[in-house]
Amino acid sequence: MTSKIQKTSKNLGYSKDKVTGLQCLRSSVKWHRLEHIATSLWDVYSGLFGDQAMILAVNSSFVDPSLQFESQLKIIESSFKKVFSIPSLEKVRQMGNSEDDKEDIENLYQNILNMYEDTLLILVSKDLYKLQILKDMAMWMNEDSSYLQERAIVVISRVLSFASRKVRGYASVDAPCLGVLAAELSLLCCHNDVSITQQASLGLHHLLCIAKCQNEDIEKTKSTKYEKHGNHCLLSPSCDTEFVPKVLQRDRAKIVQSVGQTLMPSLLTDFVWNLLMTLSSPNCVTAFKASTILKMTLESHAHKVTMVSKIVDAIYKKLRENSSHVMRQAMLRVTTLLTRTSPKKVIFQLMDYPVPADNTLILMWHAAGSESSVAPHVLKTILLILKGKPGEVHASLQERRRFSLDTTNMMPVAASQALCTLLPVASYKKAVAQFFPQLLMALMLQVFYISELRLVTEDRPFYARDALRVLLNCSGLQQVDIALKKKNCWNQFSEELFHHQGVYLIAKTLSEYNFPQFPETLQYLYKLSVEGPRRSEDSVITVIFFTELLNNFFKDPFPEEFLVLFRNWVNDSNPAVSKLSLQKIANMAPVINEIENVCSLLISILDAFLSKEKTVIIRALLTLRRLLGKLDKVTYSSLCIRIASSYCPLMDHSNEGIRSMAIRHFGELLRDMSHYTWMLNDVVLGGLVPLILFLEDTDISVVKACRHTLTICTSELDWSTSYLLKDKYYNFELVVLNICNNLLVSHENYITDLISDTLGFLRSSRIYLRKASVILIGYLAKSGGHLLLRDEIEVMLEAIDRVLWDEDPIIRQLAEITHKIFKEIAHRLTSSHVKQTFRRLFHFIYIKKLKPLYNYNWPNNLASSPMKIKETNGDKEGLTDENSVYMFVKNET
């Protein structure tokens, strides 16, 4: 039976001098007499025997693995405290009265230790995950110096030795505790006791062998994955370094080298984390050793460390607990080393604390920015944060790339405060010069955001403004800062309404002092303008600053590459940007003919007529009119039809100012192009309907504009209508009558289209438009009824039918007259093609001028009006009955 147990022990990797729990049971009879000699030792032995039985019973059960491990760990901890609280062997031997007693006591002592070790070996042999128990053992051992540290480290070393041999036959290795355990063993490798140092280095050697196998397992998995995907790239071979235990004894450099090269990133992160926590140890010697190993590790292997943000946050919390000076310096050094390889993670974490920053956070800022090599990376990260808007509330936490859980983003404010601290640092001088344009624009935008925020929360610190001043002073622009202070610019920046003026002042003052950063600033602004800002309001600041710099360093017109930007800005989604661009383009009127691609510039202004923002349309109208006044006639004539056509839709705009301006500018264009009237006839006649109808507008400026433009139109068309537009003789119906008579004589073919245009106004919400359109349709139908087809008349009758039910009684009366006119026209229509042809021929040969139909707002002095006095011979001599002409031709046939 004994030989069988020994064989099983050998298979598990136990040494021959050890005995299993069953052997201990058989020997207990022999040692039972020691119960009265060494009572405490016997109690430990018996208790340990029971603990082992419970652990093995749980190990063989079907309990959930996590609950199983938790219960086993509690029992192991209890056993640990019993076993390693036993006095040293010399003291225990003194309990015996004879040599035999002492020998038996020594054997019992040794078997207690072996039983504890055997328990661990059995657990680890079935599941390498339970190597975590060794991690906890190391921690229990360090918590109380009364434990037998030497014997405990021997047990840990032996178990690791067994595990290192065991993993060689494993397909996969699951041992997540290696990082923490490596940290504990690294500290023990520097212990003052040589025996502990030797065992710790041996244990660390075995641990690294396990880690090496773990790495090889991961590489094999990756290799298999790549092969499945057809990727045959050669993987770097696994580390073949042999870890000689003696090399690891008290040689921190070798320890760091071996650990850093062998542990995978997640385990190395655990290693670093454990050492970081040890810095707060009350044992100053241990804390100092931990700080030394930690700094050496990060100097060589910081790039492998993950969870940087968590480490930085832990450092911040530890520093706030009033750490000793030595430990404070060590933690700040860790911050510096982490910033070397992970500046973005460190800076983002440092910016995620409450504003204003406390002294601890400022110390960490200094630490993070203490090396010139990382200064560009730090500033890049801060610039990235400054793209955010302070106080911006995020709809969803998942959409935010931030570390804190609050929904209000104050990181940009923290970044501005950080710049106040970092920019004056000597090591940052080169980086500040490199990123001057980006910092300048970012801080001006932050000043704008904060000025908005201060209207709501008055107690917000104004770090963005302070950082902007620091930037100027650190960039050799002290005189600019002084000049802006004299202009009271800095004090007024807190006022939201002043901010645009403040941006203008900064650009102007920089230009006045010929700031040397102009070329790179202009280049960055150009790039920013081409790519487009992140927010619509950002573009306003960019355009103001950019325009002012160009004004001070370039003469009008700007080079084509800059004009393209202004051309694009004309139709920007932000109305303020559109108006700024249009204003600048308007100022270029004196040199408009020097611009290469002036046509595309003018077309972009015409596109602005379609804007939904009224002020943009008004600015576009004014700008276009100013440019056209200086534009050469050749270019003008090539665009006049398109420009005139763009005015027409605005004549019916809901805004009175836009209507008035569009109508008046339409007339000015006709006057400018008086030598090209033949080109504009179609456009003039196409815009005739709104020009006539808005004579009845309730806004006097629109009425005056209509009279002004109609006077020009009728003059260009050689119509005798202008006298009727004067106040003395003005009557809407007489004007319509006169225009329709002239249309009948010179432009009969347009009448049908004019009727169609007028029909659209019948549904207008404005009463005066419905009245005017009913009258105009009536006269147009009377004069051009012979041109209408049956289908067209039916559509027009349907439109007039709806007006018969209008809420306004006057409109109903006028509609009845118009409806009657259409009925008469429909009645005269014939299905005979011959008759229809003769009717049109009659109207072509004999033009019968119209007479008043509605008597709408008839003037009192009609008898003396030119309309009454002026009769044409055609009226007197013409036949009054067109049917008689038809009958005459029929008889002759």
Side-chain angles (χ1 to χ4, degrees):
M1 181 68 178
T2 304
S3 62
K4 186 176 180 181
I5 294 172
Q6 288 175 344
K7 184 178 180 181
T8 305
S9 301
K10 185 177 181 181
N11 291 335
L12 290 172
Y14 303 163
S15 58
K16 291 181 180 180
D17 60 332
K18 296 179 184 177
V19 291
T20 62
L22 184 57
Q23 287 174 302
C24 293
L25 180 61
R26 296 177 65 183
S27 301
S28 63
V29 178
K30 176 183 176 182
W31 296 328
H32 192 270
R33 62 187 185 82
L34 297 176
E35 182 180 359
H36 303 290
I37 300 173
T39 305
S40 59
L41 202 62
W42 179 257
D43 289 341
V44 171
Y45 174 75
S46 58
L48 188 61
F49 189 80
D51 289 346
Q52 186 188 57
M54 289 178 64
I55 290 171
L56 296 178
V58 172
N59 207 45
S60 301
S61 67
F62 295 98
V63 180
D64 179 81
S66 59
L67 296 175
Q68 182 188 101
F69 177 76
E70 187 178 341
S71 61
Q72 287 176 336
L73 185 62
K74 290 180 180 179
I75 301 171
I76 289 288
E77 182 180 6
S78 175
S79 299
F80 177 88
K81 292 178 179 178
K82 295 174 187 175
V83 172
F84 296 102
S85 297
I86 301 173
S88 63
L89 182 59
E90 291 75 14
K91 293 182 179 179
V92 171
R93 282 176 58 87
Q94 294 175 6
M95 297 179 185
N97 298 323
S98 63
E99 286 300 321
D100 290 340
D101 291 343
K102 290 180 180 181
E103 184 179 352
D104 289 340
I105 289 174
E106 183 177 347
N107 289 333
L108 178 59
Y109 180 87
Q110 190 64 39
N111 274 273
I112 289 172
L113 296 173
N114 288 343
M115 185 184 293
Y116 185 84
E117 182 180 331
D118 290 345
T119 305
L120 295 178
L121 290 171
I122 293 170
L123 292 176
V124 171
S125 68
K126 289 195 173 185
D127 188 357
L128 282 176
Y129 181 83
K130 292 180 180 177
L131 281 172
Q132 290 196 84
I133 295 171
L134 302 185
K135 173 200 73 175
D136 293 302
M137 278 182 63
M139 296 173 63
W140 299 332
M141 184 178 67
N142 292 328
E143 287 173 1
D144 192 343
S145 59
S146 65
Y147 295 139
L148 294 175
Q149 289 187 327
E150 180 185 353
R151 185 56 194 162
I153 196 64
V154 168
V155 172
I156 292 173
S157 178
R158 287 181 177 178
V159 175
L160 286 171
S161 175
F162 165 75
S164 67
R165 296 194 302 273
K166 191 75 175 174
V167 295
R168 292 172 189 171
Y170 277 32
S172 62
V173 180
D174 181 20
C177 66
L178 296 183
V180 177
L181 186 55
E184 297 291 344
L185 292 175
S186 298
L187 293 173
L188 292 172
C189 284
C190 304
H191 200 277
N192 296 329
D193 190 328
V194 177
S195 59
I196 292 177
T197 301
Q198 290 175 345
Q199 291 298 325
S201 60
L202 187 61
L204 184 58
H205 162 74
H206 295 309
L207 182 146
L208 295 176
C209 288
I210 298 170
K212 179 183 175 183
C213 293
Q214 195 173 29
N215 292 342
E216 290 175 349
D217 171 53
I218 292 172
E219 288 184 358
K220 287 178 183 177
T221 305
K222 288 182 179 178
S223 178
T224 304
K225 181 180 179 182
Y226 291 140
E227 287 174 6
K228 286 181 179 179
H229 288 80
N231 190 336
H232 302 291
C233 297
L234 294 176
L235 297 173
S236 58
S238 59
C239 180
D240 292 328
T241 306
E242 292 296 333
F243 309 109
V244 182
K246 289 184 179 180
V247 172
L248 302 177
Q249 294 180 25
R250 298 183 180 176
D251 190 339
R252 294 186 179 93
K254 292 294 182 182
I255 292 171
V256 168
Q257 181 184 359
S258 301
V259 170
Q261 290 178 352
T262 308
L263 295 184
M264 65 177 68
S266 60
L267 297 181
L268 187 63
T269 301
D270 293 340
F271 178 84
V272 169
W273 179 264
N274 188 268
L275 292 175
L276 181 67
M277 294 299 102
T278 309
L279 293 180
S280 303
S281 172
N283 188 328
C284 296
V285 176
T286 303
F288 180 76
K289 292 176 184 177
S291 68
T292 305
I293 297 174
L294 179 58
K295 286 186 285 186
M296 292 176 69
T297 302
L298 293 176
E299 283 173 356
S300 304
H301 306 287
H303 62 279
K304 291 179 65 176
V305 176
T306 60
M307 297 174 64
V308 173
S309 302
K310 180 181 178 182
I311 294 173
V312 173
D313 185 51
I315 292 173
Y316 174 71
K317 292 174 181 177
K318 292 288 183 183
L319 289 175
R320 293 191 69 185
E321 295 173 359
N322 298 321
S323 303
S324 65
H325 176 71
V326 176
M327 292 306 102
R328 183 185 299 113
Q329 293 304 116
M331 290 184 180
L332 292 174
R333 181 59 183 167
V334 169
T335 304
T336 302
L337 295 172
L338 288 173
T339 309
R340 279 184 184 177
T341 54
S342 304
K344 192 172 181 179
K345 293 178 181 178
V346 173
I347 298 302
F348 259 92
Q349 183 59 43
L350 291 178
M351 299 303 160
D352 208 24
Y353 294 108
V355 179
D358 54 25
N359 293 332
T360 300
L361 194 53
I362 292 174
L363 280 175
M364 293 184 72
W365 284 348
H366 279 292
S370 61
E371 295 188 10
S372 58
S373 61
V374 298
H377 302 291
V378 171
L379 290 183
K380 277 184 180 179
T381 306
I382 290 177
L383 283 168
L384 184 62
I385 295 171
L386 289 175
K387 288 182 179 180
K389 187 175 182 180
E392 196 169 41
V393 178
H394 300 270
S396 172
L397 292 175
Q398 286 78 13
E399 293 176 0
R400 299 188 344 272
R401 298 177 181 177
R402 301 187 57 233
F403 299 97
S404 67
L405 295 179
D406 60 275
T407 56
T408 304
N409 180 16
M410 293 306 293
M411 290 177 73
V413 179
S416 300
Q417 185 183 5
L419 286 177
C420 295
T421 303
L422 296 176
L423 292 179
V425 177
S427 59
Y428 270 63
K429 186 174 182 180
K430 186 177 179 180
V432 171
Q434 179 184 351
F435 292 101
F436 175 83
Q438 293 90 327
L439 290 167
L440 180 66
M441 292 306 300
L443 288 172
M444 281 198 294
L445 290 172
Q446 287 300 318
V447 169
F448 174 63
Y449 297 148
I450 292 295
S451 64
E452 288 184 315
L453 194 62
R454 286 173 68 88
L455 295 176
V456 182
T457 52
E458 300 265 338
D459 58 339
R460 294 289 185 189
F462 213 163
Y463 291 119
R465 178 195 60 191
D466 299 339
L468 186 55
R469 297 188 67 181
V470 172
L471 175 65
L472 294 175
N473 283 280
C474 293
S475 304
L477 300 172
Q478 296 87 346
Q479 293 302 317
V480 174
D481 177 43
I482 294 170
L484 289 169
K485 185 177 181 181
K486 289 180 180 178
K487 295 175 183 178
N488 201 29
C489 177
W490 301 125
N491 291 334
Q492 295 184 74
F493 253 131
S494 58
E495 302 172 12
E496 183 185 10
L497 297 177
F498 176 78
H499 187 68
H500 290 172
Q501 178 66 16
V503 173
Y504 163 80
L505 281 177
I506 291 174
K508 186 173 180 61
T509 308
L510 284 169
S511 303
E512 289 172 353
Y513 285 88
N514 293 315
F515 71 116
Q517 298 89 346
F518 170 72
E520 54 265 39
T521 303
L522 189 66
Q523 184 179 8
Y524 173 71
L525 284 169
Y526 181 78
K527 179 185 175 186
L528 191 66
S529 301
V530 170
E531 293 175 353
R534 297 184 69 211
R535 296 179 181 83
S536 179
E537 60 264 37
D538 294 1
S539 55
V540 179
I541 308 302
T542 304
V543 173
I544 293 173
F545 194 79
F546 192 30
T547 304
E548 186 55 30
L549 287 185
L550 291 175
N551 285 337
N552 286 281
F553 286 94
F554 292 93
K555 292 182 178 179
D556 288 339
F558 293 156
E560 179 60 23
E561 55 267 30
F562 297 134
L563 279 177
V564 170
L565 296 176
F566 285 91
R567 190 161 63 235
N568 295 336
W569 283 333
V570 166
N571 293 288
D572 193 87
S573 58
N574 189 330
V577 172
S578 298
K579 287 184 283 186
L580 287 169
S581 178
L582 288 166
Q583 184 177 359
K584 178 57 193 173
I585 292 171
N587 293 337
M588 294 184 191
V591 293
I592 186 65
N593 296 310
E594 298 177 24
I595 297 175
E596 290 182 22
N597 201 358
V598 66
C599 290
S600 63
L601 184 64
L602 293 172
I603 289 171
S604 69
I605 297 173
L606 295 180
D607 291 338
F609 287 178
L610 303 175
S611 173
K612 295 180 180 179
E613 180 63 34
K614 298 173 185 176
T615 54
V616 172
I617 299 174
I618 292 172
R619 175 60 64 182
L621 285 165
L622 292 172
T623 300
L624 182 62
R625 187 64 234 154
R626 188 170 177 183
L627 295 179
L628 293 179
K630 301 291 183 180
L631 189 64
D632 70 88
K633 296 302 179 183
V634 175
T635 306
Y636 200 164
S637 63
S638 66
L639 291 172
C640 63
I641 295 177
R642 181 163 184 176
I643 295 171
S645 300
S646 299
Y647 282 131
C648 290
L650 297 181
M651 294 180 187
D652 184 28
H653 199 277
S654 59
N655 181 268
E656 297 87 351
I658 294 175
R659 284 204 305 274
S660 171
M661 201 174 294
I663 292 169
R664 186 171 292 275
H665 289 183
F666 182 75
E668 295 300 325
L669 181 142
L670 296 178
R671 179 174 288 170
D672 293 343
M673 294 285 102
S674 58
H675 297 297
Y676 301 88
T677 305
W678 55 274
M679 296 173 57
L680 293 167
N681 274 348
D682 289 345
V683 181
V684 171
L685 292 166
L688 203 56
V689 170
L691 288 176
I692 296 171
L693 297 182
F694 283 102
L695 284 170
E696 292 292 281
D697 201 304
T698 54
D699 188 275
I700 189 63
S701 64
V702 178
V703 174
K704 288 182 178 179
C706 285
R707 292 186 183 183
H708 168 77
T709 300
L710 271 176
T711 300
I712 297 172
C713 289
T714 55
S715 174
E716 297 297 330
L717 293 169
D718 293 326
W719 292 353
S720 57
T721 310
S722 56
Y723 66 92
L724 289 174
L725 296 171
K726 296 178 181 179
D727 290 338
K728 183 178 180 181
Y729 302 114
Y730 175 75
N731 175 267
F732 176 73
E733 186 176 356
L734 292 181
V735 172
V736 171
L737 178 60
N738 181 276
I739 290 174
C740 288
N741 280 329
N742 282 291
L743 282 170
L744 193 60
V745 173
S746 58
H747 298 89
E748 184 182 44
N749 293 336
Y750 286 91
I751 291 177
T752 304
D753 292 334
L754 294 175
I755 293 174
S756 178
D757 292 344
T758 311
L759 286 175
F761 290 92
L762 289 176
R763 293 185 178 183
S764 174
S765 60
R766 288 168 279 188
I767 295 176
Y768 69 86
L769 278 181
R770 297 202 300 276
K771 286 180 183 177
S773 58
V774 168
I775 294 172
L776 180 58
I777 286 177
Y779 277 105
L780 289 172
K782 192 72 174 176
S783 60
H786 59 284
L787 301 172
L788 299 175
L789 302 176
R790 185 176 299 278
D791 292 342
E792 293 174 336
I793 293 175
E794 288 178 0
V795 172
M796 295 171 187
L797 274 172
E798 184 180 347
I800 295 297
D801 283 340
R802 286 193 294 267
V803 185
L804 291 173
W805 301 94
D806 195 278
E807 60 184 13
D808 188 275
I810 297 176
I811 293 176
R812 291 199 299 270
Q813 293 176 9
L814 296 172
E816 287 175 1
I817 299 172
T818 303
H819 188 268
K820 183 179 179 182
I821 293 170
F822 275 105
K823 282 289 186 181
E824 291 175 356
I825 295 171
H827 179 71
R828 287 199 299 269
L829 279 179
T830 175
S831 59
S832 171
H833 181 69
V834 175
K835 289 184 178 181
Q836 190 71 15
T837 303
F838 276 119
R839 181 172 285 110
R840 291 181 180 178
L841 179 61
F842 168 77
H843 281 280
F844 178 76
I845 297 172
Y846 175 76
I847 299 174
K848 179 182 179 182
K849 290 196 174 182
L850 304 177
K851 300 296 182 181
L853 301 172
Y854 297 92
N855 296 326
Y856 174 67
N857 287 343
W858 211 252
N860 296 326
N861 58 345
L862 180 62
S864 60
S865 72
M867 188 66 191
K868 180 66 178 178
I869 297 170
K870 195 171 182 180
E871 297 284 351
T872 62
N873 293 330
D875 267 349
K876 295 178 179 179
E877 298 172 0
L879 296 172
T880 58
D881 187 4
E882 63 184 74
N883 288 325
S884 61
V885 176
Y886 169 72
M887 291 301 295
F888 171 79
V889 174
K890 182 179 179 182
N891 292 332
E892 288 293 316
T893 303

